[in-house]
Structure formats: C-alpha cells, structure tokens
Amino acid sequence: MEKKYRVLIVDDEADFREIMAKRFNRRNIEAVAADGCEMALEKLKACEFDVVIMDVSMPPGLDGIQCLAKVKELWPKTEVIILTGHASVSSGIEGMKGGAFDYCLKPIDVDDLFEKVALAWEKVQISRS
Amino acid sequence: MSYLFDYLSSLFSSKPRLTPAELQAAFRSHYKEFRALLTANNNALELMAEMEQVVSAGHSFGMSFIRGHCTALSVNIFKMVQHLNKLSDGKYARLDETFRDVAMKLEQVIANRPVTTEGALILSMGEIDVSMVDQVGEKMANLGEVKNRIGLRTPEGFVITAVASLSFIKANDLQVEINRRLKGLDLNNLEELYTVSAGIQGLISSAPLPAALEELILYHHHQLVTGPDSCELLVALRSSAIGEDSSNVSFAGQYRTQLNVSREVVGQAYKEIVAGKYKSQATVYRKQRGFRDQDVHMCVGCLLMVDAVVSGVMYTRGPDDPRSNFVLILAAPGLASNVVDGSAATEQFKVSRTSPHGILESGFGANHVGSEGASSPSTLTVMQAAELAEVGVRLEGHFGVPQDVEWSIDRAGLLYILQSRPLGDTKKEVLPPRRDSSATDDLPAPLLAGGVCASSGVGYGQVFKVRTTLDLLRFPMGAVLVVETPYPDWASLLDRAAAVISETGQVAAHLATVAREFGIPAIFGLKQAMTILENESHITVDATAGKVYSDEVEALMMLAPPKPNLMVGSPVHKTLLAALEYITPLNLTDPTSPYFRPDACQTLHDITRFCHEKAMVQMFTFGERYGFDDKAAKQLVVDAPSQWWVIDLDNGFTPDFDPESRYVQLDHIASVPMLAIWEGMMAFPWEGPPPVSLGGFGAIIFQSTRNTNIDPAVRSVLTAKNYFLVSKNFCNLSVRLGYHFAMVEAYLSDMRTESYVSFNFKGGAADDRRKVARIQLLVDILGHFGFRVERKGDSMTARVEKRSVQYLTERLKILGYLSVHTRQIDMVMDNHDSICHYKEKFSTEINALLGIQKMA
C-alpha cells in the first residue's frame, strides 16, 4: 500500500526514534530515523520529507534550532515539529520564530503527536497546492 | 461581546465585491487562521487552568512542570499573535513586542538560580550563626546560633559547606549524569525509584574527593581531636541540607547521619552523606514538598561524639497543641538516635514551662518492655528535667517559635544540644474537627486499641504489612502501612499510605514527624498489630482515639480532615506563584475601553484575551472589508420563537442548498455542532418567562434602568436576531435573549487536540443576588456534566476540550437547552425553593435529553 506521507524523526535517543518510526509505519506513514542533525541533513539532501520531528537538544554539533534553519533552507515547505525534554520559554519562541510548525514537550501522548503531525501534513498540502 | 452585534450589521453594507471564487478563497484563508488561533487559545486557557489548579490542589509538582507549562503557554500565545496579525494584515504588530516583553519577564522568574562554587569549604562551629544558612544549611546554622548567640553547650566541630559539596560534584562532573538519571523518573514506580536512587548514591560515594577538600577535612578533624576535648576520637557526621529544618518542612530523618566515625573513614562517610541527598525517600519528599533538586545542597556537620548517658527529644510545646503550658521531654538511655529512629523504649515527661519547672507527669511509653508491675528507674532526675525545660523555653524565646530539640547528657552530667528546629506548624491544619459525640456513639467494637497518637486523623484502606525492602516495593496505593518499628526509611511510602500503624515507637520518631506533616493518621506503639491485622483486610484507623476497626466506619471517615497542602511556601510553589503573576491576571476586561490595546497587555492572559477578541472582530468584519454578499445570512425557517439567522462559513449547508435563497430549512444545515445545539434548544418547549410578583417585576425594571451593561437598543428589542456562524465542524452562536447574553462556540474534530466547546454567559435584568443565584445554578449543572467552569460575579465561562466528538456533541445539546431555558429565570431566583425547583427540572430534562436515567 502506498504510504500517505513521509516523516523524518531526529532524536539522539535510539529507543525513542526507533519506536516512533515503527508506530508511524504501522499507521501507513513512511518514517525514517536520524540520530542527530548531521544525519538528518544528509537524508534531507537526498530527498524531501513532508514533516520532520526533531529534538532541540541533541549533543554534539548543531542544536535543533540551528538544524531547523537548515531544514527550512533546504525545504521551505517541509513542516518541522520540535519535540524536547528541555523546555525553555526562549527556545520555544526561537523555534516558532524560526518557522517550526509546533513546539512540543516530552513526554508527549503518542496520539497527540500523531494529530500534530497530521495537522502539519495538512498545512504542507495547502502550501504545495 | 456587543461588538458582535455592532459588526454583524456591517456585514450587509454595500462594498466592492470579489468574485465568488475569490471571496471563498479569501474567506477560507481567514477561516484557517481563525481556527488555528482558536486552537491555540484553547490550549493556552487549558494550560493556565492546569497551573492554577496545581497551586490550590496541593498535588506535588516540580520545576519541570512549571518550565514545561510556561513554555507551552508561550508557544501557544506566540501562535495566537502570529495568527491575529495574519488575520488583520499586521494591524497588531505592536502585540509581538508586548508578548516578548512578558515572556522575557516570565523566563527570568523560572530561570535557574546560578549556583556558586566560591566561598569557604569548611567553617568552624565557633564562627557560625543563623545568618550563614546558605553556606552551612539550616540544621548547622541553628546549632551555631545555639552555641554562639544563646550560649548553650553544643558538641565541638565544624561544617563542610555547600560550596564544598558543589565543588566535589563539579570536580567529578557528576551533575549531568545525575540529571540524566533523574529525568523522567516516575516516583510512583517504586522499583525504578529505588534503582535510580541507589545508582546515583553509588556514583557519588565512589567518586574521589578533591585532594584539597580531603586534606582540609582531615586538618579540621585533627584540630578537633587535639582541642579541648582531645580524649574524644570519634565524630558524628550530620547532614544539614539547605532548605532542611525550616518551619513546616522537617526533612525529618530523610537524609543521613553517621555516628562514631573514625579519622580513617571520615572522607568516605562525608561522601555517603552527600550521596544521601538522593535517598529514595528524600527524592520523593523533595518532590512532594516542592523543593527543586538544584536548590538542595548538602552541607555536613562534623561534631565530636557526646558520650551520652541519656538522650532524647524535647518539644517546647505539645506537638498536638501549640498553646500547651508544658514542655514535653522524651528520654532514653544512650544516644538520641535511639529515640528518633523509633527503636528505643522512651520515658515521657511533661514539665512545667515556668520556673522551677516541676515535672507534671511522667511515664514509660508503649515501647517499654519491663516486667508487669515492676517500676522502672527514671531516666532523668528532677534537676535534669528542670534544666532541659529551662533550656527549651530559652530556645523558644530566642527563635520565637516552639522548638523540636535533640539533646544528650554525658557522663559528667553536662547537657549538650544536638539540634534545635521549629516544631512543625502543619499540626493546626491536620487537627481533626471537634468530635460530635452523636456521630461516634454507635461505633462497632474495635479490632485493636491502644498505643499513642503519632499523627491524628482517620484513615481507611487495606492492610499491608512491611517487613523488608521487597514488601516496600509492592506497597499498594491507599493501603494502611503496618510495621513493627517506625524507621525513617518507611517515609517514602507516606504519600501512598492511608494511615500508619507501628507496634513500637512514639511521637518523637522521625516517621511520626513526617506523618504529621503529610496529614497521615498514625498510631505508634500499638502492640500485636503485626499479628492481629491480616494483609488485604480492610480497616479504619482512628489515630486520634487510638483505635482500629474492621472495614470502613463511615461515621469516623466523615470526621477525616482534608490533607494539608504540602506545597504551600515551598520554593517551587513560590516560583509558580511568581510566574502566575505574569500569566493569569486579566487586566483587559472591557473591549470597548480605550485601554483595550496591545501596549496595555501586562500578562499572557491579557494577550490571549486581546487576540481572541480582535480575531472575532476580524471574522465578523470580513463582510465589511471584502464585500460580503448581503444574502449571506439566511433566515432559519422554523416554528420557534425569536428569529434565527445562519451564516455559512464553509460547508455549513448541504450541497443541494440553493445559495440564492434568503431562507434555509433545518434539513439543509450540515453543521454538526449547530444541529446539536439546536436539538438541545428545541428538545423541550420553553414555558415562557416565569411568573414574577409585582414587587419582583418592579425591582427588575428598576435594575434595568440602573444597569449600564444593558444596551438600551437591546433593552427595547426583546426579540433580537440571533446568529449562527457555521461550518461543517464549527459553530458560533450568539444569543441575546432579553437581558442576558450567551455565546456557544464549538469546533468538533476527530483530532482531539483541536476539539472544544465553550460557553459564555452574562447579564440579566434582576438584581445581583438573583443573577448570581442563576449563575450558580449554571455552574452546578455544567460542573456536573464535566465542564471546567469559571465564574466571576454575574458572568461565567465554561469549557470542555480534547474529548470525543460524541462527548462534545452531548455537551452542545446541554448548552442549547440551557441557553433557552435559563432566560429570564433570574427574575425568580429569589428563594431556595425556586432554585431547587429549577435545578431539579433542568437536571431531569437534560438527563432525558441525553438518555441518562438519573443525575448522580
């Protein structure tokens, strides 16, 4: 069956990204995992994703906010959902200002995350139409 | 809300027209922004409500809750500002600056305090007083005050400061790893809690001490043993955490103390006491009492051991009665630790607070295992008891509040003060209400009776006996903890326990102190409890009377006082209160005021309110700005009082509806929320205005001339037009019926995060008392049906979010019903019978509407 859309999950916690990728795949959504910003950018250079889910504090190298800027530079219509366990008001605002679709906190209810991804996909479709 | 009516009239003015396709595209774009703004608005309001709820509810929360909620709130309000500016073509760009200003202030409130690693690593007891609490912790600062300012005898020693423990942790780069292990720790998962706690303690205990610190400790240790008490070689290492021992927060027994420590192991003992910060019960306790992990620093007092003959605890007032006129002394042979860990047989003395401090009463507690009838020798002489009482009264006089004092008397008969801390004042919160004898006259025979009341109150639950750590891990939520000895280690179970019963121990045990703080009823010294009580049997514990009953005794449970709010006054609680100053106060209340503008917003709530109001205006002026077709509003063809008009925003009508028609039949309405509201409105015929007495009617006319909130134009038009703005999944209904205004708004979606139903209600023509009575009626009914209700004077809002479409559809039916049936009943809300009548009528009819048998 053809996948509905493509999601890239960027997180340095292996368990989290692998489990999430499996859950997306079970919902017929193609999901690819990356362990950090560099791997994510490599994958994004190879092809476009519809939605990117990204942790903002992934040591080492680029942090999520910088990575967000790179993603938007490569694919302006790709929507990025920032997901973090280290919340701060300023990073939340920075993320939104940098063009994130949403800024969510870990732990997150998986169904809520799926809904946010679906909304982001809705926006991607509108912006591409 | 009057803007709605002001602007609705402008919908139909003649303007340059867009083509239908352009109009639809423009509208869809606006509607998309509007919908997203409403979603963010709902999220923001929900987050604010959650924050306000934890402030008052007393549930434990940490900084991660505050940081997370403030961040999520800021993100949602940022979105609202962006959406509003898109809706208004940047008209409110100034709002962005206001938002950033408020968000920055909020961030400053919740920012971590910088932790200093500068200052002395070690301070001698001779140079310490209460002003040094941030360096040496409260226990040692108080002890220094006792020694240096009050002039009482305390053991010689020194304190290894907070700076030292921070340097130790920093030198080994442990904090990142500790934070990583604590992150996401579920305190309710006891096995995980114990594993993580043990792991962190191991990490700290096995890390090497910085050489400079180790040398300094040994140097001061050497100074001690060559000092005036050179014959003493052993020391006691006592935790003195910053934040410990303040009034109302005892941390009793939560951290470590090591006695009889020799020079060879003093460094290791120090590390273990620092590691004790992460003992499982201490971690739970901090969380429950609202202490941030990073705010608690472990200082360690290193004091010469007192060669104690007799030791104990002294309360300068009765722990149950802060006005009592006696000093309560608990004494046992040997070290004071035997008394506070609950293991020793103690003799209790009540001594007069006034000179010559005579003994009023004395006797051995429940732990004493002497032979039947034999009289035991007293642990204290009359002189010693009098000296202790005199010292206790001095300590209380100096510190200004009743004290909980640990003491020892050595072989030379010298009295040493080991600790003096405020006697917890939570007691007054947990004292049971006065017993009405009629309520307890018919109690069944108790299963067990006796012991001492270690913490008063009544609790009910299943028996769970704890003997080992394994038992501890299996302790079920809400059970009665039954133990042989009240060790401080059991304290981590207190937030799960309904009551505590111990076969031994007395009121001075650390576990008793913590139980009193948490408002958990506790009986100590209840013999044979472990034998007679059977696991999984259900019992009621009346700690106040020292009795245990089989099963639930309702007459006693009704006397159980509410649990104290343990978070009040804690650092985390204070931080949340300070953060809420920038979040919840609503200063922008009147949209018609000249001050209803971006630069007047002082809080995030103000910005939320501003965005919501202005977004509504943008939507309702769409026709004015884009030349809305004057046929847009269709009159609903129904056999119902009042005129109802429907404006289709997006797929709110069925495809076969003729867009040229000026009327719309109910059959052509496709809006799911509108149909639900309508069903509620029409389910029962409105009986018309209730009959009002001549006096009552006169009062209403009088009020209507005085009430400036009543628009004169509306006052004369009791049958004003009412508008539904609809799409397939959205509905906004504004109803002005007579003198009251109601607005129902809903968005129903399979995506729970977007779905909501909200209801605003205001006004009426009657006097305040009757309007308030009607609002209370609405609050009661809506609260019962799961709405989160906020009430202010004669207005109220009710919301419910993130529920299934079916659940929300039912709530819309209720709101439709109430919108119609509560109109003008404020006129007759003048007596209890009338209020009860309407409550009963509304409940019955709503239940029938929803197919529910009976309102609980």
Side-chain angles (χ1 to χ4, degrees), chain B residues 282-343:
Chain B
T283 305
V284 171
Y285 186 91
R286 272 198 299 278
K287 175 88 172 167
Q288 286 161 344
R289 302 303 313 254
F291 277 80
R292 308 191 305 179
D293 240 28
Q294 71 265 31
D295 288 344
V296 174
H297 302 296
M298 194 57 78
C299 314
V300 179
C302 183
L303 307 171
L304 281 176
M305 286 294 298
V306 176
D307 185 14
V309 175
V310 57
S311 303
V313 171
M314 164 168 62
Y315 300 125
T316 61
R317 306 265 181 178
D320 271 327
D321 181 6
R323 288 167 299 184
S324 61
N325 60 357
F326 58 85
V327 173
L328 181 67
I329 299 169
L330 293 113
L335 300 172
S337 58
N338 296 334
V339 176
V340 295
D341 74 5
S343 62

Side-chain angles (χ1 to χ4, degrees), chain B residues 379-410:
Chain B
T379 45
L380 288 178
T381 66
V382 173
M383 290 290 285
Q384 286 170 328
E387 184 188 3
L388 269 165
E390 189 267 329
V391 162
V393 172
R394 266 178 79 188
L395 286 166
E396 182 181 312
H398 183 83
F399 287 111
V401 289
Q403 296 289 296
D404 170 351
V405 183
E406 278 182 39
W407 54 270
S408 281
I409 296 174
D410 73 2

Side-chain angles (χ1 to χ4, degrees), chain B residues 2 125 494 684 769:
Chain B
S2 62
M125 280 309 293
L494 286 192
F684 295 92
R769 187 174 54 86

Side-chain angles (χ1 to χ4, degrees), chain A residues 89-90 97 102 105 115, chain B residues 68 79 100 107 751-753:
Chain A
V89 171
S90 53
K97 200 179 148 195
D102 211 336
L105 308 175
E115 287 192 359
Chain B
K79 286 186 197 172
R100 280 166 194 277
E107 177 126 287
M751 294 192 186
R752 289 175 303 130
T753 47

Side-chain angles (χ1 to χ4, degrees), chain B residues 41 134 149 198 239 277 350 368 441 658 767 798 812 830:
Chain B
N41 178 66
D134 284 343
R149 294 243 178 106
S239 65
K277 173 180 167 183
K350 285 185 181 172
H368 185 53
D441 273 352
D658 173 11
D767 57 56
L812 284 169
D830 54 355

Side-chain angles (χ1 to χ4, degrees), chain B residues 1 586 588-589 591 596 605-613:
Chain B
M1 299 292 179
L586 186 60
L588 267 62
T589 52
F596 197 89
H605 199 175
D606 286 338
I607 298 171
T608 311
R609 169 91 163 114
F610 184 86
C611 289
H612 190 262
E613 287 289 338

